[in-house]
Amino acid sequence: MHQVMSNKKTIFLLVVPGFLFFLFMVCVPIVMSVYYGMTDWKGIGDYNMVGLENYINILIHDKVFWRSLWNAILLVIATVVLQHPIAILFAILLTHMGKWEKLYRVLFFIPAVISIVVTSKLWSAIYHPNFGLLNKVLESIGLTSLKQEWLGNPDIAIWSLIVTIMWQGFGYALLLYYAGLQGIPEDLYEAAKLDGANYTQLYTKIIIPLLAPMMRVAIILAVITCLKQMETVFLMTNGGPGESTQFLGNYVYKAAFSSSLYGYGNAISVLFVIFCLILTVIMNKLLKKDVGEF
Amino acid sequence: MDTTMRRGSKIILFVVMSAIALIQIFPLIWLINFSFLKSGDFFGSSFLKWPEAFQWKNYADAFSNGRVPTYFMNSLFVTLTTVIVSAVLALMMSYAFTRMNWKLKGPTMNFIMLGMIIPIHATLLPNFIMFNKLNMLDHLGTLIIPYIAFSIPISMFIMTGFLETIPRVIEESAIIDGAGVFTILFRIILPMTKPAIATVSVLNFITWWNEFIMANTFLVSEDLKTLPFSIMKFTGQYSSNYGAQFAVMTCIAIPSILFYLLFTEQLTKGITAGAVKG
């Protein structure tokens, strides 16, 4: 048994093909980015090594970089403070729906399976100042004064984007918590009821604490997704008006392909990856402490 | 548990649930509704409109100007190849990581799991440069290779979780009978891991069927583009043709929804299985 399961040649054959894909498409590019990030390459022609100049410029002078980070943090906060508590509440309610459970679960999740290109263009239309659904709804409920260009106003555009992103991601968050609830053994509910616990006690004392490990996974996944946000921005506002809705992914793309600053764009990529890693480690540590070991 | 709820609270429950469900679904109903309207009919205060005459022309425009059939086949080819290859590779790797004994498996596994954190967009520029140097830009393979690579971490995350729940007794007796690892993997383990393979496949299918930014960066030829580009065709020169744009969007959304409806149980079960481990 041990001999068969330790056969080096077999292990090599099993692991290496997949690992090569991963190595060449995920790891090598990042090493390349670190290199190009230290150059002033414009995408064509010769280039010079400029050392850490790009990195220093970005961290010290680049307001758009910090604005992009701040926008990601706004999205993270909105997701963790608004989307997830609502998702937990509705995941719990969903388990009380009896035979309707499946139908509602499907309805909630459908936006999550639709192409981002479709949802971005759809929400651009919803926010359209002239025929958009949102302005029509506001008008019909007597809030005409609130009608506006949802994507044209630099103070509001970022929230319009956040709403779209949260709308699309809601079903996924809900499904994670619903899955977490399914993993809680049925007899726990019964035992709590035999002990005379009411619904509030059942949920605050038993179910929510048991859901904590799932919350950790879901929140970390959500934070990663928020940071990686790009397509919706790219398609709905392309970072504008001004740079008010810029996100890092989109900013990298813009620096490299619109402004031909390949070196600079790669340096942003590298900082982007470093930031994702740091934030994930911090989240992991923070949340682990909060919920205890399971 | 629902039997113990009072009638009043049950009604409130349904109202609240339906309100959120409506928020999730209504934009799509609006989309389909407007895909049957003339662009001029969009204006006015009502938010749903019965079309005076169903504008099937929007769909005809979508198919011809949006090149839906060509792009659909490209998407299907790219997505299916990615899904199949990454499922096989991830299964092989997951087996080596959960069942076999080797020194570096812990660190290697952690290294691959880091891939879940790496944003696709951070690899976009260097991959573009690499493909450009290798003269590989503008092939469907240029999409498939990174798609497979980025599928591996999440697929392994789910599959290793599932494999750990399979008892080792069956393999032990197979080894005593003289079976090799590959026989065990493809004859015994593969059939038993069908649920995990299905989950991983559904997740990957949804992700790559809808992927846009790499396709936008790596592909140039009109003939090679994937389905999301049908919409882009109507946002440039045809920007005023909203009816056709909405028809294209409906055409792209419907297959995803149908696919999801087909595999909804699988997805829920798979996420549950993954969650238990997480």
Side-chain angles (χ1 to χ4, degrees), chain B residues 36-220:
Chain B
F36 286 111
L37 298 181
K38 277 198 293 238
S39 287
D41 293 340
F42 289 5
F43 302 91
S45 56
S46 56
F47 32 92
L48 286 181
K49 267 183 188 170
W50 190 257
E52 279 170 38
F54 278 83
Q55 296 294 314
W56 294 107
K57 187 179 172 300
N58 290 337
Y59 282 86
D61 283 354
F63 269 70
S64 55
N65 296 338
R67 304 192 66 175
V68 170
T70 316
Y71 292 0
F72 183 92
M73 292 314 288
N74 288 341
S75 277
L76 199 65
F77 173 72
V78 169
T79 312
L80 284 183
T81 314
T82 306
V83 164
I84 293 165
V85 176
S86 50
V88 173
L89 292 178
L91 178 68
M92 283 161 56
M93 291 170 88
S94 300
Y95 190 80
F97 279 101
T98 51
R99 289 298 219 260
M100 303 191 71
N101 317 305
W102 42 299
K103 241 190 259 165
L104 290 171
K105 74 174 177 182
T108 317
M109 182 72 185
N110 288 337
F111 184 65
I112 294 174
M113 285 304 120
L114 276 182
M116 281 171 66
I117 305 166
I118 306 293
I120 279 179
H121 318 110
T123 63
L124 207 59
L125 302 187
N127 276 346
F128 179 80
I129 297 166
M130 197 179 348
F131 285 138
N132 197 18
K133 280 194 177 152
L134 295 172
N135 250 330
M136 279 172 66
L137 280 178
D138 211 21
H139 287 278
L140 287 179
T142 325
L143 288 187
I144 294 170
I145 296 167
Y147 285 2
I148 292 171
F150 275 96
S151 302
I152 283 174
I154 179 79
S155 308
M156 281 185 62
F157 180 71
I158 293 169
M159 274 187 194
T160 50
F162 190 87
L163 279 174
E164 270 159 13
T165 64
I166 295 180
R168 286 160 194 258
V169 193
I170 305 162
E171 292 163 80
E172 278 164 18
S173 53
I175 288 173
I176 292 166
D177 289 346
V181 171
F182 283 92
T183 318
I184 293 171
L185 179 56
F186 289 105
R187 291 275 171 81
I188 300 169
I189 296 293
L190 181 81
M192 292 174 81
T193 26
K194 265 185 196 154
I197 294 172
T199 304
V200 163
S201 303
V202 175
L203 269 181
N204 286 335
F205 188 93
I206 293 171
T207 308
W208 304 119
W209 180 257
N210 295 328
E211 204 280 334
F212 167 72
I213 210 77
M214 276 201 264
N216 186 48
T217 313
F218 298 154
L219 297 180
V220 186

Side-chain angles (χ1 to χ4, degrees), chain A residues 5 36 104-105 113 136 228, chain B residues 18 42 44 116 121 133:
Chain A
M5 285 304 170
Y36 284 112
Y104 279 81
R105 199 179 69 210
V113 300
K136 280 183 186 176
K228 289 180 183 174
Chain B
S18 303
F42 289 5
M116 281 171 66
H121 318 110
K133 280 194 177 152

Side-chain angles (χ1 to χ4, degrees), chain A residues 87-95 174-186 189 203 207-208 211 214, chain B residues 272:
Chain A
I88 292 171
L89 175 69
F90 278 81
I92 290 172
L93 292 178
L94 194 60
T95 60
L174 186 131
L175 193 60
L176 284 177
Y177 290 117
Y178 175 81
L181 288 170
Q182 302 293 305
I184 295 170
E186 194 70 30
Y189 293 86
Y203 281 105
I207 305 303
I208 302 276
L211 211 53
M214 191 68 222
Chain B
T272 314

Side-chain angles (χ1 to χ4, degrees), chain A residues 29-46:
Chain A
I30 289 167
V31 176
M32 281 173 75
S33 266
V34 173
Y35 172 78
Y36 284 112
M38 290 191 288
T39 70
D40 61 0
W41 198 31
K42 301 267 189 276
I44 38 165
D46 296 332

Side-chain angles (χ1 to χ4, degrees), chain A:
Chain A
M1 175 82 188
H2 187 80
Q3 223 171 13
V4 179
M5 285 304 170
S6 307
N7 186 322
K8 289 226 165 61
K9 202 176 135 198
T10 317
I11 293 168
F12 186 85
L13 286 173
L14 287 175
V15 174
V16 165
F19 192 74
L20 284 180
F21 274 94
F22 183 73
L23 196 66
F24 279 100
M25 287 292 106
V26 185
C27 309
V28 170
I30 289 167
V31 176
M32 281 173 75
S33 266
V34 173
Y35 172 78
Y36 284 112
M38 290 191 288
T39 70
D40 61 0
W41 198 31
K42 301 267 189 276
I44 38 165
D46 296 332
Y47 55 85
N48 306 306
M49 290 302 290
V50 293
L52 293 178
E53 199 184 292
N54 286 333
Y55 295 96
I56 292 163
N57 278 338
I58 293 164
L59 290 172
I60 296 179
H61 301 296
D62 194 336
K63 288 208 178 76
V64 182
F65 175 81
W66 291 107
R67 175 78 209 217
S68 308
L69 258 186
W70 174 240
N71 284 339
I73 291 168
L74 277 182
L75 180 61
V76 168
I77 294 170
T79 305
V80 173
V81 174
L82 272 174
Q83 190 190 52
H84 280 241
I86 299 175
I88 292 171
L89 175 69
F90 278 81
I92 290 172
L93 292 178
L94 194 60
T95 60
H96 292 276
M97 296 291 283
K99 61 178 179 190
W100 297 97
E101 196 174 299
K102 191 182 164 189
L103 172 71
Y104 279 81
R105 199 179 69 210
V106 167
L107 290 178
F108 289 141
F109 197 73
I110 279 180
V113 300
I114 293 173
S115 160
I116 292 187
V117 180
V118 173
T119 55
S120 304
K121 292 292 168 190
L122 171 60
W123 277 82
S124 296
I126 288 172
Y127 290 134
H128 196 284
N130 299 328
F131 65 78
L133 181 62
L134 185 55
N135 279 348
K136 280 183 186 176
V137 170
L138 288 174
E139 203 173 64
S140 68
I141 55 173
L143 294 169
T144 315
S145 58
L146 288 178
K147 280 176 66 178
Q148 59 178 302
E149 281 196 52
W150 296 98
L151 294 173
N153 181 335
D155 297 325
I156 291 179
I158 181 69
W159 297 106
S160 306
L161 273 182
I162 288 175
V163 167
T164 306
I165 295 165
M166 292 202 336
W167 173 80
Q168 178 146 39
F170 178 74
Y172 197 74
L174 186 131
L175 193 60
L176 284 177
Y177 290 117
Y178 175 81
L181 288 170
Q182 302 293 305
I184 295 170
E186 194 70 30
D187 34 328
L188 262 175
Y189 293 86
E190 300 304 325
K193 261 192 255 171
L194 280 178
D195 289 344
N198 59 29
Y199 271 118
T200 324
Q201 287 169 328
L202 175 68
Y203 281 105
T204 52
K205 298 267 164 63
I206 298 170
I207 305 303
I208 302 276
L210 282 175
L211 211 53
M214 191 68 222
M215 285 183 206
R216 187 173 142 252
V217 175
I219 289 176
I220 290 172
L221 281 176
V223 169
I224 297 169
T225 319
C226 290
L227 284 172
K228 289 180 183 174
Q229 192 51 56
M230 162 170 193
E231 276 94 338
T232 314
V233 186
F234 185 80
L235 293 158
M236 286 180 75
T237 61
N238 200 12
E243 299 284 359
S244 61
T245 59
Q246 201 59 274
F247 277 71
L248 283 174
N250 194 54
Y251 187 40
V252 170
Y253 194 88
K254 199 171 173 181
F257 293 106
S258 309
S259 316
S260 291
L261 298 169
Y262 266 72
Y264 196 78
N266 275 301
I268 304 171
S269 287
V270 174
L271 291 172
F272 186 11
V273 173
I274 292 173
F275 190 79
C276 288
L277 291 175
I278 292 175
L279 202 78
T280 314
V281 170
I282 293 174
M283 296 288 301
N284 235 329
K285 284 252 158 71
L286 271 181
L287 292 170
K288 221 172 212 163
K289 236 180 220 163
D290 259 15
V291 302
E293 290 290 339
F294 258 88

